[in-house]
Amino acid sequence: MRRELVVLAVVVALAGCAAQQKAAPGARTPGVTDTTVRVGGVLTKTSASGYSTKDAELGARARFERANAAGGVHGRKIEFVGAEDDTQDAAKGDAAAKKLVQKDKVFALVPVHAPNFGGAVFLEQQGVPWFGWATGPQWCGTRTGFGYNGCLAPKPGAGSQTWWGNQMADLLGGASGKTVYVQTSDSSGSKYGGKTISQSFQAAGFTLVGLNSALPGAAPPADWLPYVNKIMTSDGGAPPDIVVSIIAGTKFNVGLYSALKKAGYKGVLSDATSYDAAILKDPATARALEGVVAAPMFEPFESSAPEIAQLRQDVEKVAPGATLTQHLAIGYWSADIFLKMLEQTGRDLTREKFLATGNGSFLYENAGFGKIQYPKDHAEPNGCGALVKLEGGAYRVAKSMKCFDNVPLK
């Protein structure tokens, strides 16, 4: 009897091994089964300043739903568990990343759209891929973080974007003799953005007459006059031709632009965040942003490009009547790039093989966001962007998506 029990145990063990050998490719990879790939994101859905990227969740979901309707990627559908809220707190972002990886068992984080995202070190250590808007230095120099627009905080000597300055020069009929003033907040991301954007305009031929990073980033100031006075006298006692705002938050830009217009400013106002139809529902906000030239890093929704028609169709299917916003587009294109990388990796899916694909001369061009190339864009931006102008309470395409060569950051 004892011998029979031993034989039975061996048979059971062998059967278990055989079952494991027949398991689906990637079955031992977290978040991957024979039929699904699980992903989730981290966003700043709420914050003390009112800044929110919550629409990125809808954008990603819309793109994933189209992929699933087409049968998924290599027979696997995307299981999207939604996005955590970091409330613009780095510690909460780190906790959210750990929850998604350790508890929810996701394969990758898509989308990550949080200015103060604190989970980068953990994800890099764990070898977990993450995709989103690479607005801060935590994205740069990694092997796991894939910004849909590359690294926007390059180190000195690395490539730095020139597209914003060049697009503005084309819009204004040239940069010769024109001046620009750049206003940022005192946050690290905003200050770094001010440095790179200043160089973008200088590379295009504009003269930089001011770069002010003294604005507190926690909340708009009670008195804008000190900032306005500096701007209005920055060009040898006169106002500059262009004021560029590198501030994360509509309330900041509304306050700054309203104060400048009240002071009689007649030049061009430009920023990266005012392209958002949702914020125009407030009449006071719409008035403050009238005439502003926004600089999205994707093809505008008003474009006739087929890729944008597809985006609109995808969003309408999952959320009929939804307002299209910049954050929605960022979630959508981040998901799109993730899907392309997943497709190129093949059926035998592990995180190691996925990262090898992403970091092995990965090149993807799309009229929706320009192009992305890794591993190069771990260290520099993709160099692509568009311009949109608000006129009569409605946006129009001022300059369609175009890519320009980067220049070494000074």
Side-chain angles (χ1 to χ4, degrees), residues 306-352:
E307 292 81 359
I308 303 307
Q310 181 68 69
L311 180 152
R312 286 177 165 277
Q313 182 179 329
D314 293 345
V315 173
E316 185 66 19
K317 283 185 177 180
V318 299
T323 299
L324 300 178
T325 68
Q326 177 173 237
H327 302 304
L328 181 151
I330 290 166
Y332 183 94
W333 293 120
S334 298
D336 184 69
I337 294 170
F338 168 74
L339 290 168
K340 175 61 70 172
M341 204 172 287
L342 201 62
E343 175 189 323
Q344 291 190 10
T345 301
R347 172 68 180 171
D348 188 8
L349 179 63
T350 65
R351 283 180 180 150
E352 292 75 16

Side-chain angles (χ1 to χ4, degrees), residues 72-89:
V73 181
H74 297 298
R76 293 189 179 97
K77 294 189 176 182
I78 306 301
E79 182 186 351
F80 185 44
V81 301
E84 301 289 322
D85 182 10
D86 79 342
T87 71
Q88 210 166 0
D89 183 313

Side-chain angles (χ1 to χ4, degrees), residues 22 110 152 271 279 290 314 320 364:
K22 292 180 181 179
V110 191
L152 295 186
D271 64 61
I279 64 180
E290 178 68 20
D314 293 345
Y364 179 30

Side-chain angles (χ1 to χ4, degrees), residues 134-137 152-154 160-161 164 182-185 187-201 211 213 244-247 272 409:
T135 53
L152 295 186
S160 184
Q161 66 97 342
W164 196 340
V182 178
Q183 178 69 60
T184 86
S185 70
S187 71
S188 59
S190 183
K191 287 191 289 187
Y192 208 104
K195 180 178 181 181
T196 59
I197 301 307
S198 295
Q199 183 168 312
S200 175
F201 277 82
L211 171 56
S213 299
V244 179
S245 171
I246 311 298
I247 310 170
L409 180 64

Side-chain angles (χ1 to χ4, degrees), residues 1-278:
M1 176 64 73
R2 182 180 181 83
R3 182 178 180 181
E4 291 175 351
L5 289 174
V6 171
V7 172
L8 179 60
V10 171
V11 170
V12 170
L14 290 173
C17 290
Q20 287 184 355
Q21 290 173 355
K22 292 180 181 179
R28 294 184 180 181
T29 298
V32 178
T33 71
D34 190 38
T35 57
T36 62
V37 178
R38 179 179 294 179
V39 301
V42 177
L43 307 175
T44 296
K45 293 184 176 182
T46 59
S47 67
S49 67
Y51 180 72
S52 173
T53 67
K54 62 181 178 61
D55 290 350
E57 183 170 0
L58 173 57
R61 189 179 301 280
R63 184 62 186 89
F64 288 146
E65 286 298 318
R66 174 157 67 91
N68 289 343
V73 181
H74 297 298
R76 293 189 179 97
K77 294 189 176 182
I78 306 301
E79 182 186 351
F80 185 44
V81 301
E84 301 289 322
D85 182 10
D86 79 342
T87 71
Q88 210 166 0
D89 183 313
K92 290 183 179 179
D94 182 46
K98 289 175 179 176
K99 173 185 178 294
L100 287 166
V101 173
Q102 297 172 341
K103 182 179 179 182
D104 297 332
K105 306 296 182 183
V106 300
F107 172 78
L109 268 65
V110 191
V112 175
H113 185 8
N116 294 331
F117 180 58
V121 172
F122 168 75
L123 296 174
E124 183 76 359
Q125 290 173 343
Q126 298 297 312
V128 178
W130 43 302
F131 292 71
W133 195 13
T135 53
Q138 67 268 39
W139 288 86
C140 305
T142 73
R143 63 187 178 90
T144 58
F146 297 89
Y148 89 95
N149 48 10
C151 156
L152 295 186
K155 293 182 178 180
S160 184
Q161 66 97 342
T162 66
W163 73 262
W164 196 340
N166 278 306
Q167 288 279 56
M168 188 66 77
D170 288 347
L171 179 66
L172 300 180
S176 180
K178 295 183 176 68
T179 57
V180 61
Y181 184 100
V182 178
Q183 178 69 60
T184 86
S185 70
D186 61 4
S187 71
S188 59
S190 183
K191 287 191 289 187
Y192 208 104
K195 180 178 181 181
T196 59
I197 301 307
S198 295
Q199 183 168 312
S200 175
F201 277 82
Q202 289 174 298
F206 292 95
T207 298
L208 180 69
V209 294
L211 171 56
N212 186 347
S213 299
L215 180 67
D223 183 9
W224 281 101
L225 191 58
Y227 304 96
V228 169
N229 286 341
K230 285 186 178 181
I231 293 172
M232 294 297 287
T233 58
S234 62
D235 188 6
D241 296 296
I242 306 169
V243 175
V244 179
S245 171
I246 311 298
I247 310 170
T250 300
K251 290 181 180 179
F252 284 89
N253 287 328
V254 167
L256 176 61
Y257 298 159
S258 296
L260 281 169
K261 290 178 179 180
K262 186 176 181 180
Y265 183 71
K266 303 297 183 182
V268 178
L269 300 170
S270 187
D271 64 61
T273 60
S274 288
Y275 179 42
D276 186 347

Side-chain angles (χ1 to χ4, degrees), residues 287-312:
R287 285 194 300 272
L289 299 181
E290 178 68 20
V292 170
V293 178
M297 283 168 268
F298 54 87
E299 181 68 356
F301 302 122
E302 294 75 16
S303 169
S304 59
E307 292 81 359
I308 303 307
Q310 181 68 69
L311 180 152
R312 286 177 165 277

